[in-house]
């Protein structure tokens, strides 16, 4: 597989996991998932993790996977190589796994004394990848191993932090985020 093909497949396959956290920021607010509960005098998750944002994020990832599936044949023909159409359980694993990864990262941030929005290098950039890939492998095993070769996974691990930092900086400049990370 050529490097450009690998990068395109990695980006395309991860889009349903890349979009949910951004959609959650736009649609967030409302009741926090932790209901304001504390553990050892620290919030369990914090106000930034809400039911509305989580549902909107998962819905956005699923919707995008549906659109990409409709476009997959035409895009594959135009590119000269195949990009994935998403099985429903693969889409669910990517979208829900991304949101769960972000929620678990918030839990870890609170346990380490970091406040909402505080930087946690590495975790901030890869939290959703670390959960979405195994969840997708569990829910849609054949689909996962067809598309997520070792080369694709390597590109995802390298590309994701770059995309994360870039999109967060853009969201900060647009006033959608309070911090640029």
């Amino acid at each position: 597989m050529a490097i450009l093909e690998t990068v395109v497949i990695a980006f395309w396959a991860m889009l349903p996991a890349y979009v949910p956290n951004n959609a959650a920021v736009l649609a967030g607010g409302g009741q926090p998932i932790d209901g304001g509960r504390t553990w050892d005098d620290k919030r369990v998750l914090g106000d930034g993790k809400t039911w509305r944002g989580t549902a909107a994020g998962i819905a956005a990832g699923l919707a995008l996977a549906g659109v990409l599936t409709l476009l997959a044949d035409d895009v594959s023909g135009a590119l000269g190589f195949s990009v994935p159409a998403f099985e429903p359980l693969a889409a669910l694993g990517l979208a829900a796994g991304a949101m769960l990864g972000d929620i678990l990262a918030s839990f870890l941030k609170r346990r380490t004394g970091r406040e909402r929005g505080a930087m946690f290098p590495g975790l901030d950039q890869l939290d959703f990848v670390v959960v979405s890939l195994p969840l997708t492998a569990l829910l849609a095993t054949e689909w996962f191993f067809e598309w997520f070769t070792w080369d694709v996974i390597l590109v995802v691990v390298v590309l994701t932090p770059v995309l994360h930092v870039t999109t967060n900086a853009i969201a900060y400049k647009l006033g959608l985020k309070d911090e640029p990370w």
Side-chain angles (χ1 to χ4, degrees):
M1 188 180 311
I3 187 70
L4 180 60
E5 182 178 343
T6 304
V7 170
V8 169
I9 289 170
F11 182 72
W12 182 280
M14 285 301 291
L15 275 171
Y18 285 156
V19 167
N21 287 318
N22 298 315
V25 169
L26 296 174
Q31 180 67 32
I33 293 171
D34 67 9
R37 291 179 197 77
T38 60
W39 183 11
D40 289 336
D41 296 323
K42 298 175 190 165
R43 282 291 294 276
V44 174
L45 298 174
D47 289 335
K49 301 302 166 220
T50 66
W51 291 110
R52 181 173 42 205
T54 300
I58 293 170
L62 292 172
L64 180 59
V67 170
L68 293 174
T69 296
L70 293 174
L71 297 174
D73 285 342
D74 290 338
V75 171
S76 295
L79 293 174
F81 58 86
S82 294
V83 294
F86 294 88
E87 293 179 3
L89 287 177
L92 180 63
L94 289 163
M99 294 307 301
L100 181 58
D102 192 54
I103 290 166
L104 291 173
S106 289
F107 177 78
L108 290 174
K109 284 183 172 185
R110 301 302 92 77
R111 302 294 61 78
T112 59
R114 289 174 172 85
E115 294 298 321
R116 179 180 177 187
M119 195 162 37
F120 198 142
L123 182 68
D124 286 333
Q125 293 78 30
L126 293 171
D127 55 356
F128 62 96
V129 172
V130 169
V131 178
S132 65
L133 292 184
L135 184 58
T136 304
L138 180 68
L139 294 177
T141 306
E142 285 184 38
W143 182 92
F144 178 84
F145 286 108
E146 177 182 352
W147 293 107
F148 283 95
T149 63
W150 287 113
D151 291 346
V152 168
I153 291 171
L154 177 62
V155 169
V156 167
V157 169
V158 172
L159 181 66
T160 298
V162 174
L163 290 172
H164 188 272
V165 169
T166 303
T167 57
N168 281 342
I170 291 168
Y172 176 73
K173 291 275 189 195
L174 294 174
L176 300 172
K177 288 188 60 124
D178 294 330
E179 62 284 324
W181 48 81

